[in-house]
């Protein structure tokens, strides 16, 4: 029985002995060395802020409006017998071109009667002057050396005949003018906005025939702040003159797939501050926007919304940075002397697609981050990498 017991316990003893050997060997093996984890710094591109003498650009925007826009109304009544092809929506017309022709038969008859009235008045005046001459001769023959009274030589009759002739000529001029007014025209080159009448329609002097605007020049009403007004050196109530024609302004807008630009000039400013917006409005004009003033054949069309940029005339010292350096609207990331990130709030006075001008909140020579950074934390340690200097002069 003891042999059977020993025979069954032998495998257990072997396993226990092997486990013990493994534990001894593991205990005798030296422990692995622990490596300290090092923090990997974020590499950032930076540029040094440099103070420069700059002329700040004034950016604003507005809608193109016609300088002259009117409702077309007749001055006489009549039936429309002809309408020019130029009097259609969007069509252009020349100064003095007949746009609408009214029936002029009645006005021609009135003109003929007025001409007859003038002729009759001229005959009456000739008769009155002849009778007055005869009366004067008779008086001088009967009363030599004495001066007759006006009534004795028919002076009142002559004056009455002269007045009748003047009245007849005035009626003739009125008849000629009314006949001319049956041809409805405008004294300027322009475009038709809309047409409200049709062929055969009877119109009176109060009937609106349509609406048109002049194309000799257009206006853009531009809102400006007090600061922008000072940059342009424009006083309130400014009106352009030969000595001071006003600052130039570049108007731009996207037409189709292309960005277009037109050149104009600020010709006047309001003399009061707008009570709702607290802004001051300036008016820029562009000459011949559908002709020589067009941008490669693209006119500065009425109703177009445009951006406007005018260069300031005052020189100032300011810090200029690449546009990529500005975060949000007024934040920049500065790398301090300890290579730690300083999220700074600055005063921005001008921005463009390429650069930003800082008035305060930043010192000359400070390192400003220009590369993108995710999850920026104030005070985090970074690895700054210098960026090649760029020419950011605004002059």
């Amino acid at each position: 029985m003891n042999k059977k017991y020993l025979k069954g316990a032998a495998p257990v003893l072997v396993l226990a002995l092997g486990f013990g050997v493994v534990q001894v060997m593991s205990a005798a093996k030296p422990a692995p060395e622990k490596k300290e984890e090092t923090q990997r710094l974020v590499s950032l591109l930076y540029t040094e802020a440099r103070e420069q003498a700059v002329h700040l650009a004034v950016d604003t925007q507005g809608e193109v409006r016609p300088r002259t826009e009117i409702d077309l109304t007749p001055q006489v009544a009549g039936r429309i017998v002809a309408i020019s092809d130029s009097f259609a929506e969007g069509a252009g017309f020349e100064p003095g071109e007949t746009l609408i022709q009214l029936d002029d038969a009645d006005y021609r008859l009135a003109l003929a009667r007025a001409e007859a009235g003038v002729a009759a008045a001229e005959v009456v005046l000739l008769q009155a002057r002849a009778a007055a001459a005869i009366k004067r001769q008779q008086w001088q023959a009967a009363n030599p050396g004495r001066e007759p009274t006006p009534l004795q030589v028919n002076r009142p009759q002559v004056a009455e005949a002269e007045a009748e002739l003047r009245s007849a000529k005035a009626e003739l001029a009125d008849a000629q003018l009314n006949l001319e007014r049956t041809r409805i025209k405008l004294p300027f080159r322009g475009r038709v906005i809309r047409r409200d009448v049709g062929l055969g329609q009877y119109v009176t002097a109060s009937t609106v025939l349509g609406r048109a605007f002049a194309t000799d020049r257009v206006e853009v009403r531009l809102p400006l702040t007090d600061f922008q007004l000072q940059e342009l050196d424009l006083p309130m109530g400014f009106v352009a003159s030969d000595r001071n024609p006003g600052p130039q302004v570049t108007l731009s807008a996207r037409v189709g797939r292309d960005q277009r630009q037109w050149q104009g000039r600020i010709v006047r400013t309001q003399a009061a501050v707008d009570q709702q917006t607290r802004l001051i409005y300036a008016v820029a004009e562009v000459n011949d926007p559908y002709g020589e003033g067009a941008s490669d054949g693209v006119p500065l069309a009425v109703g177009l919304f445009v951006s406007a940029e005018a260069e300031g005339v005052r020189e100032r010292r300011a810090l200029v940075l690449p546009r990529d350096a500005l975060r949000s609207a007024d934040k920049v990331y500065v790398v301090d002397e300890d290579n730690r990130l300083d999220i700074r709030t600055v005063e921005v006075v001008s921005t463009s697609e390429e650069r930003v001008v800082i008035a305060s909140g930043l010192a000359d020579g400070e390192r400003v981050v220009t590369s993108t950074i995710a999850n920026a934390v104030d005070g985090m340690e970074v690895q700054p990498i210098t960026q090649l200097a760029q020419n950011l002069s605004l002059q």
Side-chain angles (χ1 to χ4, degrees):
M1 185 168 181
N2 290 334
K3 291 181 178 181
K4 291 182 179 180
Y5 176 78
L6 292 173
K7 187 178 182 179
V12 176
L13 292 174
V14 172
L15 291 173
L17 182 60
F19 180 76
V21 172
V22 171
Q23 291 296 322
V24 172
M25 293 178 64
S26 298
K29 185 178 181 180
E33 296 182 0
K34 294 184 179 180
K35 295 183 178 179
E36 295 183 358
E37 295 184 0
T38 58
Q39 182 180 4
R40 185 176 181 180
L41 302 181
V42 179
S43 298
L44 298 176
L45 293 175
Y46 74 88
T47 185
E48 292 186 358
R50 291 302 179 191
E51 189 178 59
Q52 299 179 15
V54 298
H55 292 277
L56 298 183
V58 173
D59 296 319
T60 181
Q61 54 192 5
E63 182 182 354
V64 181
R65 299 179 180 180
R67 186 171 182 265
T68 303
E69 182 178 350
I70 63 168
D71 285 329
L72 186 62
T73 56
Q75 293 179 278
V76 294
R79 191 172 303 280
I80 298 176
V81 296
I83 298 178
S84 172
D85 293 338
S86 299
F87 193 60
E89 292 185 4
F93 56 86
E94 296 297 319
E97 179 182 355
T98 300
L99 302 176
I100 293 179
Q101 176 66 57
L102 302 181
D103 186 6
D104 60 359
D106 293 340
Y107 298 99
R108 291 187 180 278
L109 291 175
L111 178 61
R113 286 193 294 267
E115 290 174 342
V118 170
E122 288 176 344
V123 171
V124 171
L125 178 59
L126 290 175
Q127 292 174 346
R129 286 175 176 173
I134 293 174
K135 285 289 188 75
R136 174 171 289 278
Q137 291 176 357
Q138 291 176 349
W139 172 265
Q140 290 177 349
N143 303 280
R146 295 179 57 189
E147 187 64 27
T149 64
L151 190 60
Q152 290 171 334
V153 292
N154 285 7
R155 286 183 183 174
Q157 290 82 348
V158 173
E160 181 181 11
E162 290 174 345
E164 290 293 337
L165 179 60
R166 288 195 297 270
S167 177
K169 288 183 177 180
E171 291 181 2
L172 175 61
D174 185 60
Q176 291 173 334
L177 186 59
N178 287 337
L179 179 61
E180 178 66 22
R181 286 171 175 170
T182 60
R183 295 189 294 273
I184 299 172
K185 59 189 72 173
L186 289 172
F188 53 77
R189 179 183 294 105
R191 296 265 177 167
V192 178
I193 298 176
R194 69 173 191 271
R195 192 182 81 181
D196 299 332
V197 293
L199 192 65
Q201 182 175 344
Y202 184 85
V203 297
T204 64
S206 61
T207 303
V208 177
L209 306 177
R211 192 165 182 82
F213 65 89
T215 57
D216 58 338
R217 64 185 65 180
V218 292
E219 296 181 343
V220 183
R221 193 164 175 258
L222 303 173
L224 299 174
T225 63
D226 292 342
F227 177 82
Q228 290 175 324
L229 206 65
Q230 293 176 2
E231 289 300 320
L232 295 175
D233 197 22
L234 289 176
M236 295 180 63
F238 165 78
V239 178
S241 62
D242 293 338
R243 296 182 60 184
N244 185 6
Q248 289 187 342
V249 59
T250 300
L251 306 174
S252 60
R254 181 167 294 278
V255 181
R257 297 181 178 179
D258 300 323
Q259 187 76 11
R260 299 291 182 177
Q261 291 186 343
W262 301 268
Q263 299 301 317
R265 193 175 289 275
I266 294 178
V267 297
R268 63 182 182 275
T269 61
Q270 286 185 337
V273 178
D274 189 274
Q275 294 183 354
Q276 294 181 346
T277 62
R278 311 310 301 172
L279 297 173
I280 302 165
Y281 285 88
V283 176
E285 286 188 354
V286 176
N287 293 325
D288 197 11
Y290 288 81
E292 294 183 358
S295 174
D296 294 330
V298 178
L300 181 60
V302 169
L304 190 65
F305 197 78
V306 296
S307 299
E309 179 179 326
E311 184 176 327
V313 298
R314 294 188 175 185
E315 185 177 272
R316 63 168 60 224
R317 304 293 297 182
L319 296 170
V320 183
L321 296 172
R323 183 63 177 82
D324 296 337
L326 186 64
R327 318 288 169 160
S328 300
D330 58 353
K331 297 287 191 302
V332 295
Y333 296 161
V334 179
V335 179
D336 63 15
E337 296 178 354
D338 299 326
N339 290 340
R340 293 190 177 275
L341 199 65
D342 181 10
I343 300 179
R344 195 85 59 81
T345 300
V346 294
E347 181 186 356
V348 179
V349 295
S350 178
T351 59
S352 66
E353 294 181 357
E354 298 179 355
R355 52 203 161 213
V356 57
V357 181
I358 307 297
S360 63
L362 195 64
D364 184 43
E366 286 193 297
R367 298 179 294 177
V368 181
V369 177
T370 57
S371 59
T372 58
I373 175 173
N375 303 322
V377 178
D378 194 19
M380 65 182 292
E381 189 175 0
V382 296
Q383 177 64 44
I385 302 174
T386 185
Q387 182 178 4
L388 293 177
Q390 301 180 29
N391 183 15
L392 300 175
S393 175
L394 297 179
Q395 299 186 42

